[in-house]
Amino acid sequence: MSVTTGRNVVVVGTQWGDEGKGKLVDWLTESAQGVVRFQGGHNAGHTLVINGVKTALNLIPSGIMRPGVKCYIGNGVVLSTEQLFKEIERLEAIGVEVRSRLRVSEACPLILPFHAALDIAREAVRESAGSEKIGTTGKGIGPAYEDKIARRALRVQDLKYPERFAAKLRVLLELHNHILTTFLKAPAIDFDAVYAQAMVDAERLRPMMADVSRELNDANRAGANLLFEGAQGTLLDVDHGTYPFVTSSNCVAGNAAAGSGVGPGMLHYVLGITKAYCTRVGGGPFPTELDWQTPGTVGYHLSTVGAEKGVVTGRSRRCGWFDAALLKRSAQVNGLSGLCITKLDVLDGIEKLELCTGYELDGETTDILPLGADEIERCKPIYETLEGWKESTVGITQYDKLPINARLYLQRIEQVTGVPIHMVSTSPDRDHTIMMRHPYLAD
């Protein structure tokens, strides 16, 4: 008897996050039966615009907006039950059925109130000491991953056993309260309040708890197409990003396997999402950054026309020119099969476009982003100038309808990065997408 397995696609951000992954995941879910989050926590923010209506998601996979599609939160995600239920209730209020379609790995580490308290207190100490803040969201993501790596985390499966949960919580809280009160001069967290809320959440979460690894493998063998949804971006990866100005998880495509419990051979295509320019939230080096706060400048145009505000924090995103040398690094560590260029329409009306092809670093030139923040901070971008276009690209869905200079710009990105462009997004709306090669059909 022959068995037909499904085709699986991984979607990752190739810059510092905020590239528009949510829209593309939602769009590609039309061809998928399951969508998987495999890392990060509710520090991620995906905004979807469907029929002109905005929906913001932080934790639940973007595929939830497609009726009938199963959604999975894999073991690589650190889970705040408080945030999860807030998001579920928000979706249910607009008529989206969630609970019957969402599966949560029992191996997910839990984010508890003391994790956020540690996160916030540490940033405050850095600031008061005159050190540069990392720029975390203050949601406890880093401290939760620390507990995971130190092998002391409470996990979703622990919620099923109240006595076991209480015993582990007492030990963990004793450690973290010591750090909070002694070193960070912050208030202690109350055991009874944390435990009581956890037990309430346990009952609500129990129907959604699952062996996600097994379910994904079973679905794939049954012929289901799966979509693996990354959060943040490659340059925020804890190993491959602008360390230490990074997030606390691996954002690269390879972590889709480890973070969900599937084999690497099940990852058939990797789609890299990149803006037609660059943005970054928070601290850290940014070689092509422009003045984005002064009216009349190109940076201000990118910031305002692109509506560059963080979904989670509301912070303004720093803006700059497209960086092909940065993208080369992302292509290398992700093994990109193809690119999707988003927000091409934001460049409409800019007379001259600068494209970074490499850097000067300590008297030498390089065509790829170095490793680590210290070296990147010393990089001076090398630009080539391309002609812009005056015509509007908003809502265009056919490649040959784009202005000639827009097409030349995209072709130059392909040439410099060595990665083919398979999709182009021309507005936030779900349907305003140009498809040159479909990830679920590509060889």
Side-chain angles (χ1 to χ4, degrees), residues 18-19 54 198 236 266 275 280 297 324:
D18 308 307
E19 300 95 348
K54 281 188 178 182
L236 292 176
M266 277 178 60
K275 280 178 182 166
R280 175 165 201 170
T297 63

Side-chain angles (χ1 to χ4, degrees), residues 294-312:
T294 303
T297 63
V298 170
Y300 187 80
H301 171 100
L302 298 176
S303 177
T304 53
V305 177
E308 296 298 350
K309 293 278 188 181
V311 177
V312 174

Side-chain angles (χ1 to χ4, degrees), residues 190 346 351 353 404 407:
D190 179 63
V346 175
E351 186 177 352
L353 302 173
I404 182 63
R407 282 178 274 161

Side-chain angles (χ1 to χ4, degrees), residues 82-384:
E82 178 186 10
Q83 172 61 34
L84 178 66
F85 287 112
K86 281 182 180 178
E87 205 162 308
I88 288 173
E89 289 159 8
R90 194 166 66 241
L91 288 166
E92 288 174 339
I94 59 172
V96 178
E97 167 54 32
V98 179
R99 296 171 204 250
S100 66
R101 296 194 285 133
L102 182 63
R103 309 294 281 159
V104 179
S105 172
E106 292 190 4
C108 286
L110 292 168
I111 299 175
L112 295 163
F114 47 83
H115 291 127
L118 285 164
D119 209 353
I120 293 166
R122 286 174 181 171
E123 286 284 72
V125 167
R126 288 189 189 99
E127 188 172 32
S128 64
S131 302
E132 187 172 3
K133 294 199 294 184
I134 297 296
T136 76
T137 57
K139 298 186 180 295
I141 309 299
Y145 274 116
E146 288 175 34
D147 280 348
K148 172 184 175 177
I149 297 304
R151 296 168 292 185
R152 60 182 178 235
L154 282 156
R155 305 205 295 181
V156 166
Q157 61 189 185
D158 292 315
L159 290 169
K160 297 193 295 185
Y161 309 100
E163 291 184 4
R164 185 171 90 186
F165 187 92
K168 289 185 175 183
L169 178 61
R170 286 190 189 281
V171 174
L172 194 55
L173 196 52
E174 183 178 0
L175 168 67
H176 290 316
N177 272 340
H178 176 66
I179 294 170
L180 280 167
T181 58
T182 305
F183 297 104
L184 299 174
K185 308 303 180 188
I189 301 298
D190 179 63
F191 170 88
D192 291 334
V194 175
Y195 178 75
Q197 186 60 54
M199 291 302 99
V200 171
D201 292 344
E203 291 308 307
R204 295 197 291 169
L205 187 60
R206 190 181 292 269
M208 292 177 274
M209 295 181 189
D211 181 345
V212 165
S213 172
R214 180 169 184 171
E215 292 195 11
L216 292 176
N217 279 275
D218 287 349
N220 186 69
R221 280 193 294 271
N225 289 340
L226 300 174
L227 190 60
F228 293 82
E229 175 183 20
Q232 288 88 38
T234 300
L235 272 298
L236 292 176
D237 183 279
V238 69
D239 287 305
H240 302 287
T242 51
Y243 190 91
F245 300 96
V246 292
T247 193
S248 301
S249 62
N250 288 111
C251 312
V252 294
N255 196 38
S260 60
V262 304
M266 277 178 60
L267 310 178
H268 303 125
Y269 178 104
V270 180
L271 179 66
I273 314 298
T274 181
K275 280 178 182 166
Y277 50 100
C278 270
T279 64
R280 175 165 201 170
V281 171
F286 184 174
T288 64
E289 183 173 10
L290 296 167
D291 172 6
W292 49 271
Q293 295 175 299
T294 303
T297 63
V298 170
Y300 187 80
H301 171 100
L302 298 176
S303 177
T304 53
V305 177
E308 296 298 350
K309 293 278 188 181
V311 177
V312 174
T313 63
R315 291 179 294 183
S316 294
R317 299 178 187 133
R318 300 151 64 192
C319 297
W321 293 119
F322 186 88
D323 190 334
L326 176 156
L327 194 62
K328 276 189 177 181
R329 175 67 67 184
S330 291
Q332 176 177 287
V333 299
N334 285 299
L336 297 180
S337 308
L339 287 173
C340 174
I341 305 294
T342 63
K343 292 198 169 185
L344 182 68
D345 53 297
V346 175
L347 301 184
D348 293 354
I350 299 177
E351 186 177 352
K352 301 285 185 181
L353 302 173
E354 302 289 346
L355 186 123
C356 174
T357 58
Y359 317 104
E360 291 182 6
L361 174 61
D362 300 337
E364 298 183 356
T365 60
T366 177
D367 65 351
I368 192 168
L369 190 77
L371 295 173
D374 292 338
E375 285 71 25
I376 297 171
E377 194 69 64
R378 301 198 304 275
C379 284
K380 297 180 180 179
I382 299 170
Y383 289 115
E384 61 179 60

